[in-house]
Amino acid sequence: DPTTDPSDKDDPTTDPSDKDETDEKDSVADQIKDSNDKRVEVNNTEAVKLDKDVFESMKKEEKNLVYSVVDKDNKFDYSWTFASGNFKDTNVSVDLKVDKANKNDKVEKHLKDDEALYLNFAHHGKLPGDATITVSVDDKFKDGTKVYLYYYDEDADKVYKVGKNALTIKSGCVEFTIKHCSTYFLTEEELAVELDQNSAENVDYNVAPTGDNFNMNILIYLLVACFASLAAFVITSSKGVKVVRE
C-alpha cells in the first residue's frame, strides 16, 4: 500500500526480545507510578533490567519494589527487594537476572569442599541502595541449615565473607542483604577469610516496607546510643527524682 508509512512496519533488524524487555521495564515503572500502595510487588517469569528512571520514580513516589522471578509453573525462584528510603545513588541501571550454579572453577580452589551454591549476578558493581535478595535453595540445602555468604572478587582473585553471622534456611529459601553485585556463593563451611567491611553489618534482615521505618530505626538507634553513654540513671521515688551515679 503506497499510502502506508514505512515507519509503521516492523523493523526486521529489531530483536523482539529487546521490545519485550522494554515493555516489561515500562510496565514496572507504570505499576510504581499508578499503585496506591507503598510496596509494589511484581511477579514475572523473566528478570528485566531496571534503569535509573525506575529508581528515580521509586524515590520520588516513595515507593518500594519487590520483583520476584518465578518459573513457568509459578514456583518462586528468587526476588529483589528495594526500599527507596535507603537509596544513595539512583543513577544506576540494574539487570535483575541471577543464575544459580553448583560449579565455579575460579572459586573452588579457595574451598575445602565443593558443596557450594553459586549465585551469578548479571549486574556487577554498586546498587542504588541496599537490596534484599531472597533465593529458593531447597534443592541444595535443607530447612534449618546454617550457611555462610561470600563473594568472589575477580580482579583480586579473593574471597570475602559477607556479614558476621550465618544465615538460616527457612521455607526452602535464604535471604540476605547486599550493597553491590558480584559472584556470591553459599556454603555450610565457614572460611577463614577477610570480612567485607562494606557489606551490610547484619545480612539476615528484611528491608523495611516503607522509607519511614528506616527513619524510625535510625531514631531508635540514636536514642539507645545516647542512653548507653550516660553514667547515671534516674530513679523515681514518692518524694521526687534522685540521680544515682555509678
Side-chain angles (χ1 to χ4, degrees):
D1 184 351
T3 62
T4 301
D5 186 348
S7 62
D8 293 338
K9 297 181 179 180
D10 292 336
D11 183 353
T13 63
T14 301
D15 185 348
S17 62
D18 292 341
K19 183 177 185 300
D20 292 342
E21 181 168 319
T22 300
D23 289 345
E24 180 59 33
K25 180 199 70 177
D26 292 341
S27 174
V28 173
D30 290 340
Q31 289 183 61
I32 292 171
K33 183 179 179 180
D34 297 339
S35 176
N36 292 323
D37 298 326
K38 289 293 186 180
R39 181 184 175 97
V40 180
E41 299 187 11
V42 178
N43 291 342
N44 195 11
T45 55
E46 294 183 357
V48 298
K49 185 175 183 179
L50 301 181
D51 62 23
K52 64 178 183 179
D53 293 338
V54 174
F55 297 118
E56 287 173 355
S57 176
M58 288 175 60
K59 188 172 184 177
K60 179 180 179 181
E61 301 289 336
E62 297 183 343
K63 302 284 183 66
N64 303 324
L65 173 67
V66 180
Y67 191 101
S68 299
V69 176
V70 299
D71 64 16
K72 61 181 180 180
D73 297 319
N74 206 37
K75 181 182 177 182
F76 176 81
D77 191 10
Y78 61 89
S79 70
W80 294 72
T81 301
F82 294 99
S84 60
N86 70 19
F87 282 175
K88 297 177 177 63
D89 182 7
T90 56
N91 189 29
V92 59
S93 297
V94 179
D95 189 334
L96 302 183
K97 185 176 182 181
V98 181
D99 289 324
K100 291 181 281 189
N102 292 316
K103 299 285 291 183
N104 187 308
D105 294 337
K106 292 182 179 180
V107 179
E108 286 179 353
K109 63 184 179 182
H110 297 280
L111 309 179
K112 294 180 181 179
D113 59 56
D114 58 357
E115 294 299 315
L117 177 64
Y118 297 93
L119 306 174
N120 301 310
F121 287 76
H123 176 72
H124 276 218
K126 69 177 182 178
L127 294 166
D130 294 359
T132 292
I133 311 297
T134 305
V135 184
S136 174
V137 295
D138 55 358
D139 58 346
K140 185 70 175 182
F141 303 110
K142 295 180 179 179
D143 276 4
T145 302
K146 300 288 186 180
V147 296
Y148 295 91
L149 178 67
Y150 304 88
Y151 85 86
Y152 175 63
D153 185 332
E154 295 182 3
D155 295 333
D157 187 27
K158 190 174 181 179
V159 169
Y160 291 89
K161 185 179 179 182
V162 182
K164 296 178 180 179
N165 304 320
L167 304 172
T168 303
I169 307 302
K170 300 176 183 178
S171 301
C173 294
V174 66
E175 184 174 278
F176 53 89
T177 299
I178 56 177
K179 294 178 177 293
H180 64 87
C181 288
S182 182
T183 296
Y184 286 79
F185 65 95
L186 297 159
T187 178
E188 296 179 55
E189 176 186 359
E190 185 173 11
L191 305 177
V193 297
E194 183 180 344
L195 179 68
D196 177 22
Q197 299 299 327
N198 294 319
S199 66
E201 178 65 18
N202 179 9
V203 295
D204 193 11
Y205 75 86
N206 294 319
V207 170
T210 67
D212 291 340
N213 285 6
F214 278 90
N215 296 332
M216 182 60 68
N217 288 338
I218 293 173
L219 178 59
I220 292 173
Y221 173 83
L222 292 175
L223 289 173
V224 171
C226 288
F227 281 112
S229 65
L230 294 177
F233 61 91
V234 178
I235 299 177
T236 303
S237 66
S238 58
K239 295 182 179 179
V241 177
K242 179 171 63 178
V243 177
V244 180
R245 299 189 180 278
E246 296 180 340

